Amino acid sequence: MKARAIFACIFVVCAGLLGVAYYMEHVMGLEPCPLCWLQRFGFMGVGLVSFVAALHGPGQFGVRVYGLLLVATAGAGLGTAGRQLWLQSLPADQVPACGPSVEYMLDVLPLAEVLTTALRGTGDCAEVVWRFLGLSIPGWTAVFFALLVLTGFVMLFHHGKAKDRIAD
């Protein structure tokens, strides 16, 4: 499969996942916590990298650069999802206190403090409000981020090598 098509598929998957997130928020009424917002930004970053890569149609070196960017953005998202899964696994007496909404924090706090607070997570982040096949929302985002990291590594290290062998 050509790199351009792979990056286009990744963009479509990220757009679909963001669509599901907005559906869950606006139709199902699930309020996203600060870590959920950061995971959305992770999918936006992966989607943006993939969109640019699909438009660019890079050569072998460019595929590796975009693969590295994919690993970095999806890896950051995976770390954020892992943090939320860890918070969800804590006993009730160790869960941090609930904090203000992201909108409120953005209105009254400097951006650096909003990011620090969001990365720490709040009691809202530890609450499991939805499950599908036994996984919570951050569980599913972790699965997708892990698949995206693996895809990025394939693009970084293996994409195009089969073509090189055939040309010899």
Side-chain angles (χ1 to χ4, degrees):
M1 192 172 189
K2 292 186 183 257
R4 177 177 259 169
I6 293 169
F7 284 118
C9 287
I10 292 170
F11 171 75
V12 169
V13 167
C14 288
L17 290 170
L18 288 167
V20 168
Y22 290 114
Y23 175 84
M24 294 175 103
E25 178 182 358
H26 296 289
V27 176
M28 295 173 63
L30 302 178
E31 188 68 32
C33 73
L35 286 172
C36 291
W37 278 104
L38 292 176
Q39 289 167 67
R40 285 183 187 186
F41 291 137
F43 284 122
M44 287 177 197
V46 170
L48 180 63
V49 166
S50 300
F51 181 73
V52 171
L55 288 179
H56 178 206
Q60 197 167 9
F61 177 75
V63 167
R64 287 191 168 98
V65 170
Y66 287 119
L68 180 63
L69 291 171
L70 184 62
V71 168
T73 52
L78 181 58
T80 305
R83 172 76 176 160
Q84 189 168 3
L85 287 169
W86 177 76
L87 286 171
Q88 288 181 346
S89 72
L90 290 175
D93 63 329
Q94 293 181 12
V95 171
C98 290
S101 70
V102 173
E103 293 84 10
Y104 176 79
M105 287 192 296
L106 286 170
D107 286 342
V108 300
L109 299 174
L111 185 58
E113 196 171 331
V114 172
L115 288 173
T116 303
T117 302
L119 284 170
R120 265 190 251 121
T122 65
D124 301 331
C125 299
E127 185 180 350
V128 178
V129 294
W130 181 88
R131 286 188 186 275
F132 180 69
L133 298 176
L135 288 179
S136 63
I137 295 170
W140 282 107
T141 63
V143 167
F144 281 101
F145 279 128
L147 290 172
L148 290 166
V149 167
L150 289 173
T151 303
F153 276 123
V154 168
M155 302 300 277
L156 184 60
F157 294 114
H158 296 294
H159 192 271
K161 290 193 177 181
K163 245 192 318 187
D164 293 341
R165 284 192 293 264
I166 293 171
D168 289 341

